[in-house]
Amino acid sequence: MTQNEKFRFKRRMERRNLFSGICGADKSVKLVFLLLYLAGFIWVWCKQGAIRSAGDNMVLLSPILKLVLENSMTTYLLLGGGVIVFLLVYPFGKKAAQDQLQSIGLVNHAGMVPVLLRKYRDKENNHVTIWEFRSQSIPLVTWQDKQSSIEAALDVSVVKVKYSKGKSRILLHTVPARTDLPELLEWKDSCLSQTDFELVLGEGFLGPVKVNLAHIPHILLGGSTGSGKSVLLKLLLMQAIRKGAIVCIADFKGGVDFPAVWHKNCRMCFEETNLLALLTELVNELERRKSLFRESECPNISQYNKATGSALKRYIFACDEVAEVLDKTGLNKEQKELVSQIESKLAVMARQGRAFGIHLILATQRPDANILSGQIRNNIDCRVCGRADNVLSQIILDSTAAAEQIPKDARGRFLLHDGTVFQGYLCNEESL
Ligand SMILES: Nc1ncnc2c1ncn2[C@@H]1O[C@H](COP(=O)(O)OP(=O)(O)O)[C@@H](O)[C@H]1O
Ligand SMILES: [Mg+2]
């Protein structure tokens, strides 16, 4: 872009911003200004005779002032209107915010900084403030990448960033920088979602954080040891059991994480050959459902159950520390072959499971390409990352956000793929 083009572009945007400054002001602010203006109008109207005679009585008055006092109504209309337009357009506080964003380099190719149009309380969450910016063609990913710098610049914690009005505006949902989520959140049965088939992960700044397996069928949990993966996995499985799903758990850590109560309510599997048999059974069930749905022309399990009055249940296959099964390092040829077969069954479930109500919830510290093949990984859209360093966060979420946003000593604190930070519920597994 040449200097000349940049200049023209800036001028055009400034004119646009002037207009949106008036249109974008809060309704309550506009109303207050309008009422003040009307009150002033009535006062001048009632007093115009007195104002005129006061002007007439003053001998040494300049002719301009005399003219003003004689035509008090017209002067008020013009001058008052001008003041109101100025108040609506002048960026009180807005300028400071824009300067802060400029200082962290959040500018477009023409060097222009986003314009703050409005700042207001979220109606649904009283403690959340929404900053509405004209995006100046800066894409959402840039805002997300610079989230930490934006937080420092505006002295807030950003809980959500999204587009509004197409892609021309950006909404930053923020809470005061000192606000934090609770360190401990006890699970209560009232937290269970009534929606089919929605699981609650925890609580974020904007309320409960949920994932609906009917839309996002599989979940991957990652994060360093002690970050809370097993606890979160069990929270999700507990809800799935309550909702009537058939839960199958593969545990290769000797069953220490799953006490007897789980064995009563789920199908457990502790060994590779049994695991292959279990996965083969699940894939066969998937194929059986495929032909059932084809015959009754139903696209998914919910519609099939509705249309035929059947009660097909969802299957959840969960594996904690899935790397224990899928890591091929140090295995002989036979063992590698077994793992490949397990992998290929998981890949079928990952690819096709959604419509047929067959879901995967996999947890592992480091789900890199050596552990999870692209076939499985790319089909797991819901990714959750606990405490992690830059490299780990990058592996799980394709960004370093978890390293930046989750405190080093946090337990049960996670970041969802869409940037939502939440505290997972701690549930008492004895009450399963
Ligand atoms: N949601 C949570 N709230 C509070 N403490 C938690 C939570 N999740 C985990 N913890 C604590 O962290 C410890 C480790 O959790 P765990 O799930 O075993 O971690 P990981 O499986 O990632 O190694 C738990 O024993 C518990 O004390
Ligand atoms: Mg664990």
Side-chain angles (χ1 to χ4, degrees), residues 128-307:
V128 174
T129 304
I130 301 177
W131 304 58
E132 183 173 342
F133 286 95
R134 179 181 298 291
S135 69
Q136 306 286 50
S137 318
I138 301 170
L140 189 65
V141 280
T142 311
W143 291 78
Q144 285 164 338
D145 288 348
K146 287 190 177 279
Q147 184 167 326
S148 306
S149 313
I150 295 172
E151 288 180 340
L154 302 179
D155 191 25
V156 292
S157 292
V158 175
V159 291
K160 192 156 90 183
V161 192
K162 63 174 199 176
Y163 278 126
S164 142
K165 302 226 166 154
K167 293 187 174 175
S168 67
R169 297 199 183 171
I170 291 281
L171 298 184
L172 286 186
H173 292 244
T174 66
V175 290
R178 286 152 293 279
T179 322
D180 200 3
L181 291 167
E183 280 177 22
L184 192 78
L185 266 176
E186 296 265 356
W187 169 263
K188 289 188 207 80
D189 285 342
S190 56
C191 301
L192 190 73
S193 166
Q194 300 303 317
T195 312
D196 181 56
F197 199 92
E198 196 170 66
L199 304 180
V200 185
L201 295 159
E203 231 166 81
F205 289 104
L206 302 178
V209 177
K210 300 165 180 176
V211 55
N212 191 334
L213 295 192
H215 307 309
I216 303 182
H218 316 295
I219 304 174
L220 178 65
L221 309 176
S224 26
T225 328
S227 56
K229 301 181 295 295
S230 301
V231 170
L232 182 59
L233 176 68
K234 287 195 273 187
L235 173 77
L236 297 176
L237 297 181
M238 177 273 291
Q239 296 175 57
I241 294 171
R242 298 259 172 99
K243 283 174 168 280
I246 300 172
V247 174
C248 309
I249 302 173
D251 179 18
F252 289 82
K253 283 172 72 194
V256 284
D257 275 333
F258 292 92
V261 61
W262 290 95
H263 300 220
K264 267 190 244 154
N265 290 285
C266 313
R267 284 182 64 178
M268 302 295 296
C269 168
F270 303 107
E271 203 253 325
E272 275 93 343
T273 358
N274 291 346
L275 175 60
L276 182 59
L278 172 66
L279 293 178
T280 311
E281 205 182 300
L282 291 176
V283 171
N284 290 344
E285 174 65 14
L286 189 150
E287 294 299 336
R288 188 180 78 85
R289 291 185 176 189
K290 206 184 269 183
S291 48
L292 279 179
F293 292 10
R294 199 181 302 127
E295 276 163 28
S296 53
E297 296 184 347
C298 291
N300 59 45
I301 182 167
S302 321
Q303 293 202 16
Y304 177 82
N305 281 344
K306 211 190 235 172

Side-chain angles (χ1 to χ4, degrees), residues 13-232:
M13 291 313 278
E14 272 163 14
R15 278 201 298 274
R16 232 169 111 186
N17 293 335
L18 202 72
F19 176 71
S20 54
I22 300 173
C23 297
D26 258 350
K27 272 198 193 109
S28 50
V29 174
K30 282 182 192 166
L31 194 70
V32 169
F33 283 166
L34 190 71
L35 288 177
L36 283 175
Y37 188 58
L38 279 177
F41 179 83
I42 293 168
W43 188 83
V44 177
W45 177 269
C46 299
K47 300 276 178 190
Q48 56 182 324
I51 296 171
R52 194 176 298 125
S53 56
D56 291 343
N57 294 341
M58 289 184 211
V59 194
L60 290 170
L61 214 56
S62 84
I64 296 179
L65 209 54
K66 222 169 184 140
L67 201 68
V68 164
L69 293 178
E70 268 167 24
N71 301 286
S72 54
M73 257 345 281
T74 323
T75 312
Y76 177 77
L77 286 175
L78 290 176
L79 219 64
V83 167
I84 287 206
V85 169
F86 174 79
L87 289 175
L88 286 172
V89 168
Y90 190 78
F92 297 98
K94 293 181 183 178
K95 185 86 179 67
Q98 286 164 216
D99 287 348
Q100 295 292 355
L101 295 185
Q102 180 132 39
S103 71
I104 58 162
L106 189 69
V107 289
N108 64 14
H109 287 304
M112 293 167 66
V113 74
V115 177
L116 178 61
L117 299 172
R118 289 203 299 158
K119 193 173 144 191
Y120 53 95
R121 292 253 163 215
D122 186 0
K123 283 193 198 93
E124 284 155 28
N125 279 289
N126 210 20
H127 62 287
V128 174
T129 304
I130 301 177
W131 304 58
E132 183 173 342
F133 286 95
R134 179 181 298 291
S135 69
Q136 306 286 50
S137 318
I138 301 170
L140 189 65
V141 280
T142 311
W143 291 78
Q144 285 164 338
D145 288 348
K146 287 190 177 279
Q147 184 167 326
S148 306
S149 313
I150 295 172
E151 288 180 340
L154 302 179
D155 191 25
V156 292
S157 292
V158 175
V159 291
K160 192 156 90 183
V161 192
K162 63 174 199 176
Y163 278 126
S164 142
K165 302 226 166 154
K167 293 187 174 175
S168 67
R169 297 199 183 171
I170 291 281
L171 298 184
L172 286 186
H173 292 244
T174 66
V175 290
R178 286 152 293 279
T179 322
D180 200 3
L181 291 167
E183 280 177 22
L184 192 78
L185 266 176
E186 296 265 356
W187 169 263
K188 289 188 207 80
D189 285 342
S190 56
C191 301
L192 190 73
S193 166
Q194 300 303 317
T195 312
D196 181 56
F197 199 92
E198 196 170 66
L199 304 180
V200 185
L201 295 159
E203 231 166 81
F205 289 104
L206 302 178
V209 177
K210 300 165 180 176
V211 55
N212 191 334
L213 295 192
H215 307 309
I216 303 182
H218 316 295
I219 304 174
L220 178 65
L221 309 176
S224 26
T225 328
S227 56
K229 301 181 295 295
S230 301
V231 170
L232 182 59

Side-chain angles (χ1 to χ4, degrees), residues 201 211 216 218-222 232 362 367 372-374 376-386 393-399 414-420 422:
L201 295 159
V211 55
I216 303 182
H218 316 295
I219 304 174
L220 178 65
L221 309 176
L232 182 59
L362 306 178
L372 273 194
S373 69
I376 303 174
R377 226 184 109 88
N378 299 341
N379 284 295
I380 305 187
D381 288 334
C382 178
R383 300 198 191 160
V384 181
C385 182
S393 173
Q394 191 76 42
I395 292 173
I396 301 163
L397 298 172
D398 299 323
S399 85
F414 295 92
L415 187 67
L416 196 61
H417 56 271
D418 67 358
T420 311
F422 67 91

